[in-house]
Structure formats: C-alpha cells, structure tokens
C-alpha cells in the first residue's frame, strides 16, 4: 500500500541540506506538512544562517506542498519549544519527529578535547532529547506519534576518529529502546535510522561508487516507512545506496558460573559464553536478568 502522510505534521531537524532535506521533501511530496529546521551552520557546528531551511521550504511550496522554516538550534530547549509551539499554532498537531541534525568534530581520542566531545554529544544526543521532550506530551495526548533517531554505523560498530560521535549515536539507540517501551501505550513508535550517503558530512570520504549511487534521497524511503502509520517500533534500520538492512542488539544464552574459580570458568568457557546459537533480541532490559535467574534456578536444582 502507498505510504501517505495527508494531514500529518512533521518536524525534520537539520533539514536544510543532505539527508534531512531529502526526508523533508519526501514527506511533503506525500502530503505531510513539514517544519524544516536547520541552524544553518558549518559542518563542525559553527555559525548559523536561515538560508538553507528557507530554500528547502521554497522548494516544497513550489512543488505544491506546505512547509515552514525554523532556525532553532536543537541544543537550545527554549528555541526548540518555540519551534514546536509555532507548528502547533499553525497546524494544531504534531505527528512525526525526525531527529536528524548533526555535526562532526573528528579526531583520534588521544587528540580530542573534552569540549569537542561534549559539543558533539550535545548536538546529536541532547538535541534529540530536547526535540523529543518538546513533542512527547503532545503525542501522548493525541495517542499517536512517530519518532526517528538518526544513529550511525559508527555508533553501532565503531569508527576510528569518531569517539564523540559514536558515543552520541549509540546513546540515541538507548534513548530509542526506552522511549519505544514508554511510548507503546499511546501508539508512539520510536525507531533508529543508520544512513549511508554522500553529503556535506561525508564529502571527505573516498567513495568506491559514483557519488550518485550514494545519493541521500536513496535513504529517505526507509525513513518514510519508519514514520508511517504502520511503522514498526524499536527497529534499527540501515539504509544507503538503495540497500536496507536491520541491526539488532542481541544477547547469547551464556553460562552460569559461581564460586571461587568463577573468573577461571569465565575464561575457560568464554567461547560458550560467546556462542550465538540461542541468541535472542530482548524486548526489554529485564530480559538479561531473566536469562541469568533462569540459569541460577537451574543450578540450584
Ligand atoms: P549534513 O551536514 O548535510 O546535515 C546535517 C544538518 O544538520 C546540516 O544542515 C546542519 O546545518 C544541521 N545542524 C547542525 N547542527 C544543528 C543544530 N544544532 N540545530 C539544527 N540543525 C543543525 O549531513 P548529513 O549527512 O545529511 O547528516 C544527517 C544526519 O545523518 C546526521 O545526524 C548524521 O550524523 C547522520 N549520518 C549521516 C551519514 C552519512 O553517510 N551521510 C552516516 C551516518 C549518520
């Protein structure tokens, strides 16, 4: 069935360029009213300008869609609240939040300052927290919400020179895991998107493919599904170059080891602990404790 967004209102942060711009255009083309947020700074987060967000709004309007521009920094809770208030005043509801704004301050951890670490965590992780907090009560009250965190393979699996970025991006997955659980009874679905695309952010990376093959517009189909009526929840979706994958945080069945030689047992049986047969994707954190208690109960006969 066609994914439609008629009557839905969406906020896309960092939508002045790159992936966010494509998400905003794709949502608007399918009927959503869109708040195009972008601080309009440089890749490292310095500076600000409303030109980028204004240009995307002009594109949407020229194509017959509805959109408003917003220049709030996602790091500023008051400005974020004002953005949400403006959307509510104009359209009366808020259905979709795409947390996409981001910056880079890459350096090996040895050379990275704490200031560069904090700044990147503040934009990616606290930026998403600020925006999500500002829409949460609205979504709870209307019993409908679709929220996406933009994570990254760098967070899920690591990448040299991106300790700050990776920590923030995996933090977003933790945020998703809990908000998906807390949002469930009000039909608020929360997912994570791990994109791969050629944008300003990745322009220094050599690509093995022609750049068109890594166009950011090839990621947006995955985003559209994650914010649609029949979206999944607690899903980590990889998307890039037309490829779509799903990543999981899993746990193995492991072993039970107690007593004075427990450290030696952990060492000796590490292969068994690591054995992935019987691995599960827990539906909440308590599942780990359940696996452990079940083994302890068995050991106690
Ligand atoms: P981009 O640099 O083109 O887009 C990021 C946008 O966020 C920019 O337009 C920037 O002005 C805006 N922004 C930065 N700080 C902001 C703030 N404080 N408040 C509001 N807006 C702010 O880069 P791209 O690639 O489109 O990135 C989008 C998202 O996707 C980011 O979260 C990035 O970390 C993530 N991502 C991108 C990948 C890629 O391959 N391009 C890979 C993995 C994740």
């Amino acid at each position: 069935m066609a994914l439609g967004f008629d009557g839905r209102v969406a906020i896309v942060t960092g939508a002045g360029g790159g992936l966010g711009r494509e998400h905003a255009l794709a949502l608007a083309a399918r009927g959503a009213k869109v708040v195009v947020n972008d601080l309009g700074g440089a890749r490292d987060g310095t500076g600000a300008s409303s030109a980028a967000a204004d240009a995307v709004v002009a594109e949407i309007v020229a194509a017959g869609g509805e959109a408003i521009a917003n220049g709030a920094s996602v790091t500023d809770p008051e400005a974020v609240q004002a953005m949400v208030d403006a959307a509510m005043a104009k359209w009366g509801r808020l259905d979709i939040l795409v947390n996409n704004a981001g910056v880079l301050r890459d350096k090996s951890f040895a050379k990275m300052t704490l200031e560069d670490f904090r700044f990147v965590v503040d934009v990616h992780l606290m930026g998403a927290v600020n925006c999500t907090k500002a829409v949460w009560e609205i979504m709870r009250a209307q019993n409908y919400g679709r929220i996406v965190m933009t994570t990254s393979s760098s967070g899920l699996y690591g990448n040299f020179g991106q300790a700050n970025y990776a920590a923030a991006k995996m933090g977003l997955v933790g945020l998703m895991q809990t908000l998906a659980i807390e949002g469930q009874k009000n039909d608020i679905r929360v997912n994570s998107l791990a994109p791969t695309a050629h944008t300003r952010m990745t322009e220094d990376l050599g690509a093995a493919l022609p750049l068109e093959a890594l166009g950011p517009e090839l990621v947006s189909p995955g985003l559209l599904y994650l914010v649609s009526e029949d979206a999944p929840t607690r899903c980590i979706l990889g998307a890039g170059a037309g490829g779509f994958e799903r990543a999981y945080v899993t746990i193995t069945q492991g072993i039970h080891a107690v007593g004075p030689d427990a450290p030696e047992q952990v060492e000796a049986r590490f292969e068994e602990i690591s054995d992935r047969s019987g691995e599960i994707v827990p539906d909440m954190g308590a599942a780990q404790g359940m696996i452990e208690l079940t083994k302890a109960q068995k050991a106690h006969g």
Side-chain angles (χ1 to χ4, degrees), residues 95 136-146 179-189:
D95 305 285
W136 193 250
E137 276 312 312
I138 295 168
M139 290 181 173
R140 272 164 45 86
Q142 72 195 9
N143 284 314
Y144 190 91
R146 301 287 180 264
L179 293 186
I181 292 169
E182 292 188 10
Q184 202 163 21
K185 74 174 194 303
N186 298 103
D187 196 17
I188 303 174
R189 304 187 195 174

Side-chain angles (χ1 to χ4, degrees), residues 19 38-39 73-74 100 102 124 150 165 169 195 197 199-201:
L19 288 156
D38 206 293
L39 176 65
S73 170
V74 293
N100 166 82
H124 288 274
T150 306
Y165 181 79
K169 288 305 201 186
T199 63
R200 173 177 84 161
M201 193 171 272

